[in-house]
Amino acid sequence: TGGSTRIPGALCGLVGFKPSRQRISTAGAFPLSQSMDSIGPIARSVMDCAKADAVMAGDGFQPFDSAPLANLRIGIAQGMPLENLDETVATRFSQAVDRLEQAGCRLSDEKLALLDGMSRVNGRGGIQPAEAFTVHRDRLDRRGPAIDANVRARLERARNMSAADYIEMVNERAALIAAMDARLMDIDVLALPTTPVVAPTIAEMAPADVFARKNAMLLRNTSMCNFFDCCAISLPLPRESGLPAGLMLVARNGHDRRLFRIAAAVERLLAA
């Protein structure tokens, strides 16, 4: 819904895949946000993610070759996705970009003005909180104090949102999705850090204000893909020591199989 496969994948040195939303049915899954929920795997490799994805989508798995890296058009997301990176993520992401360039990829810096539109929608309360509150409203009314305080605070944010505000945000998001799809037509994938920071400790997340700030930071880059209805995958960045970090590749909705082929090639490059 906002990064629940890619974030743990990045923080644990694994591969996390978020499919195009319509690819895998959410029937039988407990909902959070009907507009943004999607179901994807976490695995040790791109190929294992592709196999799990095929099973969940009801497809017959078809082995695939890695896409050629030479002349692959990779856009490096600029602006907000690269802001306030910690030293580990900044260093490893920069090293990965250098390796992609050395492999013959055609890199371009991509300024995404449409992120301002996403920020406007989320600044008015956002679609996902309203839909999550709808799912949990009765539970909040009956047993609010029994719910984790951090979770409860996030759900309660939408209690007073009007139907008109919600519908307006849904309509604005639909226009932004179409615009982003057109914006990504000239590149094969968008590349950015999966999370701006490595995993925080449980102890440092204990204060409510720190939890809210760092949770939002961890969700910042991945939730963008859900808002714009893209497919995306997180690959482990090479490390000699320290905590894991991830590289996220983002493709247009419906380009899941193409994304797997590209991710397999990048995975091989980074492991070399």
Side-chain angles (χ1 to χ4, degrees), residues 84-259:
N84 301 315
L85 304 181
D86 70 19
E87 183 177 356
T88 298
V89 174
T91 299
R92 291 185 192 158
F93 180 71
S94 177
Q95 291 170 344
V97 169
D98 288 344
R99 294 181 74 170
L100 290 168
E101 187 170 30
Q102 292 165 10
C105 297
R106 292 164 50 195
L107 306 185
S108 60
D109 290 343
E110 300 293 334
K111 297 179 180 179
L112 303 171
L114 291 167
L115 294 180
D116 293 337
M118 179 188 73
S119 296
R120 283 195 304 273
V121 171
N122 290 337
R124 298 204 304 272
I127 295 166
Q128 182 268 326
E131 294 179 346
F133 178 76
T134 300
V135 173
H136 294 281
R137 178 167 54 181
D138 178 64
R139 183 173 292 102
L140 287 163
D141 291 342
R142 288 186 297 104
R143 301 185 61 204
I147 297 173
D148 178 272
N150 291 315
V151 175
R152 184 183 181 188
R154 295 172 71 194
L155 292 169
E156 289 283 3
R157 289 203 307 253
R159 181 178 286 276
N160 297 319
M161 183 183 294
S162 71
D165 287 340
Y166 171 75
I167 292 169
E168 188 175 68
M169 288 188 293
V170 167
N171 291 339
E172 187 171 346
R173 178 184 176 235
L176 289 166
I177 287 172
M180 181 62 83
D181 188 66
R183 175 70 176 79
L184 297 179
M185 286 181 67
D186 292 334
I187 60 174
D188 293 304
V189 288
L190 193 66
L192 58 157
T194 308
T195 61
V197 296
V198 296
T201 65
I202 293 174
E204 68 184 287
M205 293 289 274
D209 60 332
V210 175
F211 176 91
R213 185 174 69 253
K214 294 211 170 189
N215 187 62
M217 191 69 164
L218 287 168
L219 284 161
R220 188 189 72 189
N221 290 0
T222 55
S223 61
M224 176 186 83
C225 306
N226 296 75
F227 183 92
F228 288 104
D229 209 7
C230 301
C231 56
I233 192 166
S234 177
L235 305 175
L237 285 166
R239 64 186 178 112
E240 295 179 0
S241 61
L243 293 174
L247 169 69
M248 184 163 61
L249 303 177
V250 183
R252 296 168 61 200
N253 184 286
H255 289 227
D256 301 62
R257 289 186 173 134
R258 171 71 172 154
L259 179 58

